[in-house]
Amino acid sequence: MQRKFAFYAFFVLLLALLSSYFLLDFFAFDPKKNITFRYLEDLGEQHISIDDYRQVIGNHQACFEHVRRKNLTSYYERKFSSTSSISREIIDQEVEKDLRDGRLSMFKRFRSTKNITTMYHRNKLVGLYNCLPENEVTNDSVMIYNVCLNKDFRGKGLGKVLMKNAISHCQAKEVGRKLSLLVYDDDHLAINLYKKLGFDFEEPDEDFPDEFYYFNKSLMVYSGKTQD
Ligand SMILES: CC(C)(COP(=O)(O)OP(=O)(O)OC[C@H]1O[C@@H](n2cnc3c(N)ncnc32)[C@H](O)[C@@H]1OP(=O)(O)O)[C@@H](O)C(=O)NCCC(=O)NCCS
């Protein structure tokens, strides 16, 4: 009787172990499994629905607005540094006003953004980037711009998936041209990622716009020497 019980107990335990293994595998969140890309010539209405457009803007804003806020704050602090009567409140108001204006103009401006790639997890837009053959930064390279991944999807290897797609897509689009990008000097996470994928810092030309020095952005160029 005891032996029979032990046999049944063992059998039930084995069944429980097996089913939890398959259930875990089924529900495990592996975002890389459900990723697709869309390559859009531009964000005109014929290429993207207004809902997707809103998602692009929302995603971009979530990625970059805090950086813009930081830059604007330091800009106004420097601008008003000699005026002792200017209060913190006024600086904050100026910053918020610029951010509001920026959001409005971005909503219009993004409509004419060229060569944008959107990345989806299932049907949700989770990332994007642009390839810009003509850009204000360098004459001889294609810039990868606006690299941006939804916050909830970071740290799971999807930034790498997005960037690997950017490298191969931008290279195929402009065969033989260098690839480059700009990065904030204190964005160690992005710098790590870019270095791993084969980008190195490069001294920009003399005509590198002052704005980029001002906001501590550096130029990185793709050498193809990956660290993986
Ligand atoms: C930059 C960005 C796309 C990276 O995406 P991500 O999903 O976080 O990156 P991944 O999970 O693919 O990780 C890639 C590499 O980044 C680095 N990394 C990721 N998370 C990290 C963390 N918490 N701390 C330090 N490094 C980290 C690692 O080097 C990692 O490589 P590894 O997996 O071989 O260790 C994303 O963080 C983002 O959209 N940030 C906001 C917008 C932005 O800053 N864009 C860059 C503009 S230049």
Side-chain angles (χ1 to χ4, degrees), residues 4-20:
K4 211 169 173 183
F5 176 77
F7 173 76
Y8 280 127
F10 174 73
F11 185 71
V12 168
L13 190 71
L14 193 69
L15 210 66
L17 277 174
L18 275 173
S19 49
S20 59

Side-chain angles (χ1 to χ4, degrees), residues 128-165:
L128 56 99
Y129 67 81
N130 291 88
C131 292
L132 290 184
E134 275 90 43
N135 57 77
E136 66 212 317
V137 183
T138 64
N139 299 320
D140 60 343
S141 68
V142 182
M143 297 284 305
I144 302 177
Y145 243 85
N146 291 328
V147 175
C148 168
L149 187 68
N150 182 308
K151 221 173 190 167
D152 298 340
F153 288 78
R154 290 186 200 156
K156 299 174 168 73
L158 284 181
K160 227 179 225 174
V161 173
L162 181 69
M163 275 307 295
K164 280 185 176 170
N165 184 277

Side-chain angles (χ1 to χ4, degrees), residues 51-66:
D51 263 5
D52 271 4
Y53 185 62
R54 287 215 167 92
Q55 283 194 56
V56 167
I57 300 278
N59 216 34
H60 186 269
Q61 215 164 291
C63 276
F64 298 110
E65 196 167 282
H66 68 285

Side-chain angles (χ1 to χ4, degrees), residues 27-40:
F27 287 112
F29 181 65
D30 182 359
K32 284 191 218 159
K33 273 186 185 167
N34 296 294
I35 292 297
T36 49
F37 288 93
R38 278 178 71 196
Y39 306 101
L40 303 158

Side-chain angles (χ1 to χ4, degrees), residues 65-112:
E65 196 167 282
H66 68 285
V67 181
R68 210 169 134 63
R69 178 175 275 112
K70 195 176 97 184
N71 287 338
L72 284 167
T73 306
S74 78
Y75 168 75
Y76 281 115
E77 279 168 357
R78 274 182 269 177
K79 185 174 169 186
F80 295 136
S81 62
S82 55
T83 333
S84 56
S85 58
I86 297 288
S87 70
R88 183 78 255 157
E89 211 179 315
I90 290 179
I91 292 180
D92 290 348
Q93 277 169 9
E94 291 292 323
V95 170
E96 291 311 317
K97 184 181 166 305
D98 281 7
L99 286 174
R100 260 194 322 272
D101 292 349
R103 270 179 229 133
L104 278 175
S105 73
M106 191 170 70
F107 201 78
K108 290 186 195 141
R109 191 162 41 86
F110 248 72
R111 267 291 186 222
S112 54

